[in-house]
Amino acid sequence: MATFVLVHGAWSGGWCYAKVAALLRARGHTVFTPTLTGQGERAHLLSASVNLTTHVADVANVFHYEGLGDVVLAGHSYGGMVVTGVADRIAARVSALVYLDAFLPENGQSLFDINIPANTQRFVASAGNCGGIAVPAPPASFFNVNAADAARVDMLATPFPLAAMAERLTLTGAHETVRKRVYVHGRVLPRESPFKPFYDRVRDDPGWTAHALACGHHVMLDMPETTADILHAAA
């Protein structure tokens, strides 16, 4: 059986993978769902110094302290920035990279660089409501979260460190040696999706497997069985 490390996106926590993790564990897989510093049950650690480097270290340390190798590493949304940075550092320990409607950065890019400019402007402006160090969570409706999960997403969402969105990622290119790469796009949003260009970029690339799902941005909540099947197939 395989080992999975599932990395959440902004304003979230490891809790968002509960359904998918349960489905994977029922198949006999080992699943880790770390929560990034300043998020979820670690929200009390939020500070101006928490950035993308912090979050890459959070996940790389799971590999180190749990002695992990041959891992399917998946990231949702902002988590795409994190898993790319982790895979670039420890590519030999990663057997597959899965981007769940996630940012797909290149060397020297930040999330702000590759997001829709209107989103970046909105997030920077709203950080003033959190002392200038964090971005308040948009409502679940912004991501078209399904009705059954929307209230829980709104209840558990936490402000996200601004520095993590602004920091540019330095890559050596080692992440591109990971043999399996998968992109999953949630194609039903009430607005322009910043993730469709990444899906369009890789969907015809023979080095990638691409899926477009009839759901909102939170694919692991909206279509957990399908998400689990895709992750299982990547193992």
Side-chain angles (χ1 to χ4, degrees):
M1 292 295 101
T3 299
F4 295 83
V5 175
L6 310 179
V7 181
H8 63 83
W11 309 294
S12 191
W15 57 265
C16 73
Y17 283 113
K19 295 179 183 179
V20 168
L23 290 165
L24 291 172
R25 289 170 181 142
R27 295 186 180 194
H29 298 305
T30 299
V31 184
F32 295 88
T33 59
T35 291
L36 303 174
T37 300
Q39 296 290 276
E41 72 275 15
R42 306 181 71 201
H44 60 289
L45 299 177
L46 178 65
S47 73
S49 65
V50 175
N51 57 17
L52 179 56
T53 296
T54 309
H55 292 159
V56 169
D58 284 338
V59 178
N61 280 343
V62 175
F63 281 73
H64 177 69
Y65 287 100
E66 298 291 347
L68 303 183
D70 197 26
V71 168
V72 177
L73 177 61
H76 173 245
S77 196
Y78 163 79
M81 304 293 297
V82 178
V83 300
T84 302
V86 172
D88 198 68
R89 287 176 54 177
I90 52 173
R93 296 189 178 203
V94 179
S95 62
L97 269 173
V98 183
Y99 292 81
L100 300 173
D101 217 33
F103 290 99
L104 187 56
E106 297 179 354
N107 182 46
Q109 292 182 325
S110 70
L111 184 149
F112 281 159
D113 291 330
I114 55 178
N115 203 344
I116 295 170
N119 286 349
T120 294
Q121 293 164 10
R122 182 185 300 113
F123 296 159
V124 171
S126 66
N129 297 322
C130 293
I133 69 167
V135 180
S141 58
F142 185 75
F143 303 109
N144 197 26
V145 177
N146 69 85
D149 287 305
R152 184 165 181 262
V153 169
D154 284 333
M155 179 181 68
L156 296 179
T158 48
F160 189 78
L162 183 67
M165 292 182 170
E167 184 182 2
R168 290 187 165 94
L169 188 61
T170 299
L171 300 170
T172 68
H175 64 292
E176 295 179 353
T177 66
V178 175
R179 59 187 175 84
K180 290 185 182 179
R181 287 176 284 172
V182 180
Y183 198 94
V184 181
H185 176 45
R187 59 181 176 82
V188 184
L189 277 184
R191 57 186 177 84
E192 180 184 3
S193 170
F195 306 101
K196 185 177 184 296
F198 304 124
Y199 168 73
D200 289 343
R201 184 203 305 175
V202 304
R203 65 180 176 179
D204 296 322
D205 187 328
W208 287 79
T209 301
H211 306 267
L213 304 186
C215 67
H217 176 52
H218 286 57
V219 296
M220 66 287 187
L221 292 175
D222 296 338
M223 299 184 69
E225 293 85 2
T226 301
T227 302
D229 287 344
I230 292 169
L231 288 165
H232 173 77

